[in-house]
Amino acid sequence: MAFLPLCFAIFAIVEITNGFYLPGLAPVTYCETVQENCKNDVPVYVNRLNSIETVIPYEYHSFDFCLNADEYEGSPVENLGQVVFGERIRPSMYNLKFNQNQTCQGVCQKQYKEGNKADAEKLNFIKKGISLNYQHHWIVDNMPMTWCYRVEGGEQFCSTGFPMGCYVTKQGTPKDFCVTDRQFSQANTYYLFNHVDIFIDYHPGSAEDWGATLTGNRGRIVSAKIIPRSIDHNANKDSPCAASNPVLGLKGNTLAGEVKFNYTYSVIWKRNVNIKWSSRWDYILESMPHTNIQWFSILNSLVIVVFLSGMVAMIMLRTLHKDIARYNQVDNAEDAQEEFGWKLVHGDVFRPPRKGMMLAVLAGTGTQIFFMTLITLVFACLGFLSPANRGALMTCALVLYVCLGTPSGYISSRLYKMFGGEKWKSNVILTAFVCPGVVFGVFFVLNLLLWIKQSSAAIPFSTLVALLALWFGISVPLTFVGAYFGFRRRPIEHPVRTNQIPRQIPDQSLYTQPLPGIVMGGVLPFGCIFIQLFFILNSIWSHQTYYMFGFLFLVFIILIITCSEATILLCYFHLCAEDYHWWWRSFLTSGFTAIYFFIYCIHFYFTKLEMQGTASGLLYFGYTFIIVFAFFLLTGSIGFFSCFWFVTKIYSVVKVD
């Protein structure tokens, strides 16, 4: 277990580079005047822009918005997870002072001239962003600025992003994201949101919170909301930001004449004693779509799954108890010679499978993913990986995977040695490189596509080198260490001997044949997770905030139980039918859950998303393949080891001559 201290040490080092943050332990106090341990400036950061209509995000400076002379100066250091997810946080030109209201503050002016090719390209790229509903993501005090509006049913939804503008099609129909109190009516027109009204609430606290050292008005930010508006400032010189001013519309796809407009903002501060700093994320999370629903329906589904699993377990235990009692009755010679059912194949049940090395490699990597998932969910349930700690979830998962190479190599080598394999060098090399190599290969191809598109999601070359260093410098050596200890151990002893001549398998009925059993095996595990899959896919591709880690942990436990029970049940049926080829079948039976997962992802793509372009489709299915492949290894390993335990257990309690 020496890999665990190393794992925690690496995780701590990675997080320290971004200032390790535990939600609720790092509040920032602001004052009207600069004091010790109290800030006056409230910086506004801008993150990358993304869209639900395309997978390709862009950095803020990719668009011709108001930028600092050096957009990288003052940028916070991103952790590994943020870089992999494509987050690019930069300082903005929006300057806020604590508790100081501002009205129609100018940021910059943009001017585009006809005949200038560079100006035309910049303006067209902004229009493209508006038509594809690219969303701004601004951050203040490590909290997203939210755009709140009414949805169907009169409920308020608070989005962590707000659109660049509104596009009215050539048919004169505003697109669905044009949620505003202004009327956009001109066909084939792009309305740019060039003004924002910012509303910030702060909690004043008490003398016990601040101590006697701070004086004057002070507080901690508990809410930051924003309302984007499209305003033609040139229409009214006296009140350029008045709500009655006409909107700023950019016609067509050509640049005719000269286009000139301003970016402005207004800020209103409000004292709020009802929201505490520790619960300031509640109004964002509670307004996420579909989170206040069907809790009864979800719980009802889980109860049904648990009930069915309990019934399966009871049937298996009672049936097996009778089988074992009947097999062990040796009152006379005739009974001793009469064998039937699964006892008939006791001399072949532990016969090594074909392609045993590859099965050992997949099971070893699946074990690595299993422990990575389990430990990550534990950290998430404890609050270490909350939405406030950006990138921590991916960072934790990557570091844990790298550090868990030891159990992967150990399990793979133990299984391979049990199968009678002697090519230990090939085994450890395949364990260290095959599955991670497949994932990295697909990831690299997708990254090339993002590089071509100049997307912020493209991993920088330095980060790719860092990922390779983690793989080759830590994961591979730990895999070799685990394999070394695995091969030094004695082979796993089976409870019964294996005959030299394989027993002939009788003709099988339809339901005991391999393929139908494998297809049926993934139904029950998928049934217990498909509701949760909607939330996970929605958070990934629709950019919603996912926070239900406690519920996800419960679903993960139920997934383990259902995968194990479904595989054991089908394995028992096949053994009773005198089919002893259970090694690969046990892995594929529960692993087939990943196929249902992939089918659901296809359904989600065509029914829930509105992505456009070939590149978005390739990226979606490429990343989906990586997720499904990891899920296949995870569920397959669960089914394999549960079935291995089951077979070993039942054949160790029967009397065999």
Side-chain angles (χ1 to χ4, degrees), residues 56 58 445-455 458 615:
I56 304 171
Y58 289 101
V445 172
L446 297 177
N447 199 57
L448 286 177
L449 179 58
L450 292 169
W451 270 344
I452 295 172
K453 294 292 184 178
Q454 298 181 345
S455 170

Side-chain angles (χ1 to χ4, degrees), residues 14-256:
V14 172
E15 283 297 332
I16 285 173
T17 61
N18 195 39
F20 189 71
Y21 175 82
L22 295 180
L25 298 180
V28 178
T29 304
Y30 297 95
C31 299
E32 290 184 347
T33 58
V34 179
Q35 302 177 45
E36 186 178 0
N37 299 325
C38 190
K39 300 180 179 180
N40 175 247
D41 292 326
V42 183
V44 176
Y45 293 96
V46 291
N47 204 342
R48 50 91 174 95
L49 288 84
N50 53 29
S51 170
I52 62 173
E53 297 186 12
T54 177
V55 183
I56 304 171
Y58 289 101
E59 285 198 51
Y60 187 81
H61 67 74
S62 297
F63 296 92
D64 191 31
F65 298 135
C66 299
L67 302 171
N68 295 317
D70 184 359
E71 64 266 15
Y72 297 100
E73 183 179 356
S75 300
V77 178
E78 288 128 356
N79 57 39
L80 182 62
Q82 288 177 291
V83 176
V84 172
F85 267 126
E87 291 197 17
R88 303 292 185 269
I89 301 176
R90 306 285 181 252
S92 72
M93 295 183 65
Y94 294 82
N95 300 313
L96 309 185
K97 300 288 184 180
F98 176 73
N99 205 29
Q100 292 184 16
N101 295 338
Q102 302 178 55
T103 303
C104 202
Q105 291 294 311
V107 184
C108 70
Q109 184 181 78
K110 291 296 179 179
Q111 185 175 353
Y112 305 92
K113 296 182 179 180
E114 183 179 3
N116 189 315
K117 183 178 179 180
D119 287 353
E121 290 178 352
K122 292 177 183 177
L123 193 60
N124 286 335
F125 196 59
I126 290 178
K127 292 177 180 178
K128 178 183 177 182
I130 294 174
S131 64
L132 291 176
N133 189 22
Y134 270 89
Q135 302 272 321
H136 288 276
H137 294 275
W138 292 8
I139 302 168
V140 60
D141 192 38
N142 196 38
M143 190 177 184
M145 286 191 179
T146 55
W147 175 43
C148 300
Y149 54 90
R150 296 290 175 184
V151 294
E152 294 182 3
E155 297 181 356
Q156 179 177 263
F157 169 59
C158 292
S159 171
T160 55
F162 64 93
M164 290 176 55
C166 175
Y167 173 57
V168 179
T169 64
K170 294 180 180 180
Q171 292 75 29
T173 305
K175 297 196 75 172
D176 295 338
F177 53 82
C178 296
V179 182
T180 178
D181 56 354
R182 306 297 297 274
Q183 295 297 321
F184 304 115
S185 57
Q186 296 187 23
N188 194 26
T189 303
Y190 304 84
Y191 294 95
L192 177 66
F193 291 156
N194 59 329
H195 175 88
V196 290
D197 293 322
I198 302 173
F199 302 89
I200 300 181
D201 290 6
Y202 68 93
H203 191 285
S206 61
E208 296 179 357
D209 297 327
W210 318 128
T213 58
L214 300 182
T215 60
N217 197 4
R218 64 269 185 189
R220 291 171 180 166
I221 294 176
V222 295
S223 171
K225 298 181 181 180
I226 194 168
I227 297 178
R229 289 198 287 152
S230 178
I231 298 178
D232 186 357
H233 297 85
N234 300 320
N236 188 344
K237 300 296 183 181
D238 296 330
S239 301
C241 296
S244 58
N245 282 4
V247 293
L248 177 63
L250 306 174
K251 291 288 294 182
N253 296 318
T254 58
L255 177 56

Side-chain angles (χ1 to χ4, degrees), residues 544-615:
Q544 304 294 337
T545 303
Y546 188 87
Y547 66 97
M548 298 179 291
F549 294 110
F551 188 76
L552 182 60
F553 184 77
L554 174 63
V555 172
F556 180 68
I557 298 300
I558 295 177
L559 175 66
I560 295 173
I561 297 172
T562 50
C563 280
S564 302
E565 292 182 345
T567 307
I568 289 173
L569 182 63
L570 290 171
C571 180
Y572 173 74
F573 289 155
H574 286 107
L575 292 177
C576 288
E578 302 178 27
D579 185 354
Y580 50 84
H581 294 309
W582 62 273
W583 296 102
W584 273 106
R585 187 180 296 142
S586 63
F587 192 95
L588 297 176
T589 297
S590 56
F592 202 82
T593 309
I595 303 300
Y596 292 110
F597 183 7
F598 184 70
I599 295 172
Y600 182 79
C601 289
I602 297 174
H603 167 76
F604 187 85
Y605 177 82
F606 287 106
T607 60
K608 303 297 181 182
L609 301 178
E610 299 178 356
M611 292 186 179
Q612 302 179 14
T614 305

